[in-house]
Amino acid sequence: MAVQELTVRPATEAEANDVLALVRRAYRGEESRTGWTTEADLLDDERIELVEVQHKISRPDGVVLLGFAGAELIACCELLDKGDGLAYFGMFAVRPDRQAGGIGRQLLAAAEAHARSWGAGTIEMTVIGQRRELIEWYQRRGYRATGETREFPYASLVNGTALRDDLYFAVLAKQLPG
């Protein structure tokens, strides 16, 4: 299968519902199981609320990047400028039926380029520590485990519950080329 060229641009506030639907589709519920990034075996919730997506799109120190195949939204991510040369990458989602086709690699590269345009020398992210296959995917793209872990926000689950009580976040980071 040929890798489709992805068009990447910042989200607008009017697209918040589309971003919400994409993120939920990629990580939760039965449809998410058609891709490989599902968290449906770990969490039974809605992952994120509309107000959170709206905040991420409108905040002055960040951007939500959207990836399109033609006019169709198929991927998104969040990027935050944390200052002091550090950017945070999160809310990464690729439509389940488009996963494993190079879309994620393209959006990740676009996010890294955007972070460099802010002057970031390092980009970090958090990944559920039990997601070994996802951590390995990031490692193949130059990210390294920092050894730092962060608590999983059980109290912040959206309309649902965790299916395990041992979840945590592993922190990964990558030095960006100048």
Side-chain angles (χ1 to χ4, degrees):
M1 164 200 268
V3 175
Q4 182 166 8
E5 184 73 22
L6 194 66
T7 302
V8 178
R9 67 163 174 79
T12 66
E13 290 183 38
E15 295 168 309
N17 278 308
D18 296 333
V19 173
L20 176 71
L22 173 64
V23 171
R24 287 180 174 176
R25 241 174 122 177
Y27 286 95
R28 301 293 194 268
E30 285 308 307
E31 184 181 3
S32 73
R33 295 178 192 280
T34 65
W36 68 275
T37 63
T38 185
E39 294 170 351
D41 292 328
L42 303 174
L43 298 151
D44 184 15
D45 75 327
E46 294 179 339
R47 194 168 195 278
I48 192 165
E49 293 182 278
L50 180 61
V51 68
E52 290 176 87
V53 174
Q54 292 167 328
H55 173 72
K56 290 173 185 299
I57 290 172
S58 64
R59 62 187 297 171
D61 60 343
V63 64
V64 172
L65 297 175
L66 303 182
F68 291 87
E72 185 178 21
L73 175 63
I74 61 170
C76 70
C77 69
E78 168 193 25
L79 197 61
L80 295 177
D81 184 350
K82 299 196 67 160
D84 294 325
L86 179 63
Y88 176 82
F89 175 81
M91 200 175 70
F92 188 31
V94 175
R95 210 173 75 186
D97 64 343
R98 299 302 294 267
Q99 293 177 13
I103 300 299
R105 284 188 298 274
Q106 290 181 68
L107 187 57
L108 181 59
E112 291 171 356
H114 198 96
R116 282 193 304 274
S117 78
W118 288 342
T122 304
I123 191 168
E124 77 170 14
M125 67 180 70
T126 56
V127 180
I128 294 175
Q130 288 80 356
R131 298 290 317 281
R132 296 308 318 159
E133 73 287 354
L134 187 55
I135 290 170
E136 291 167 0
W137 186 87
Y138 285 118
Q139 288 174 328
R140 290 191 298 273
R141 278 138 198 92
Y143 288 81
R144 298 290 169 249
T146 66
E148 180 185 353
T149 61
R150 296 186 184 151
E151 287 186 34
F152 188 83
Y154 287 100
S156 299
L157 293 174
V158 179
N159 300 322
T161 187
L163 302 176
R164 296 176 59 154
D165 64 2
D166 63 343
L167 300 175
Y168 66 93
F169 287 120
V171 179
L172 306 179
K174 179 179 180 177
Q175 295 302 120
L176 298 173

